[in-house]
Amino acid sequence: QQFAARRPPFLMASNAKALLKEFTKRQEQRANSYSELRFFFKRYLGDRDVKTYQSSCKSITKKFKAIGDDILKIEKELIELKRNEWAAHIRQIQDNEKAKLQLTVKIQVLKTKYLLDRQDKDAPEYTSTLRSYQRQMATIIEKINDTLEEIKYILHEDD
């Protein structure tokens, strides 16, 4: 009883599908956080205000961490409910989201180097590296979206 009182409200879900719905909410929050990150980076490229950008990144990092922590709890709860396949879908998305975030950082570092440091943004090494990163990103996003579609299908079964 005491343990149950300390559990986050979203883990009080009555069934595994409710947990999956909570996961999709967290995934939506993560997508919104990526939008914020892109906005702050674009603003940084324009105004070059490093302190504001660093502060914004710190705030978004905290959001990503909180979202990730919640998703880990959901994943563990699904395993406890013997929904290992559903938990595996979440693990796939988590792994791809990690790769997406790492690649996002690489892209931002590359753009900063060439756009803010006034190096030639038409340089072949910049354009080829950027294109390579963009192709990798498209592949990662496609994997995430495919797995999210599988989760949506599960949520709509037997409705």
Side-chain angles (χ1 to χ4, degrees), residues 75-103:
E75 180 184 6
K76 286 179 182 178
E77 191 74 15
L78 286 170
I79 291 169
E80 287 179 24
L81 293 171
K82 307 294 187 230
R83 293 298 191 157
N84 294 343
E85 184 179 332
W86 296 6
H89 288 319
I90 290 175
R91 174 58 25 218
Q92 267 184 306
I93 290 173
Q94 286 290 87
D95 291 345
N96 282 309
E97 286 288 356
K98 180 180 178 182
K100 180 181 173 186
L101 185 57
Q102 290 170 339
L103 193 55

Side-chain angles (χ1 to χ4, degrees), residues 29-43 52-68 101 104-105 108:
Q29 291 171 350
R30 184 166 21 209
N32 291 337
S33 295
Y34 269 110
S35 293
E36 285 181 62
L37 185 61
R38 281 189 299 275
F39 169 80
F40 291 128
F41 183 67
K42 189 174 185 177
R43 189 173 71 187
T52 300
Y53 179 65
Q54 288 174 336
S55 173
S56 301
C57 285
K58 187 175 182 179
S59 170
I60 291 169
T61 299
K62 285 181 184 178
K63 288 180 186 181
F64 279 136
K65 170 124 176 52
I67 292 164
L101 185 57
T104 298
V105 170
Q108 289 187 356

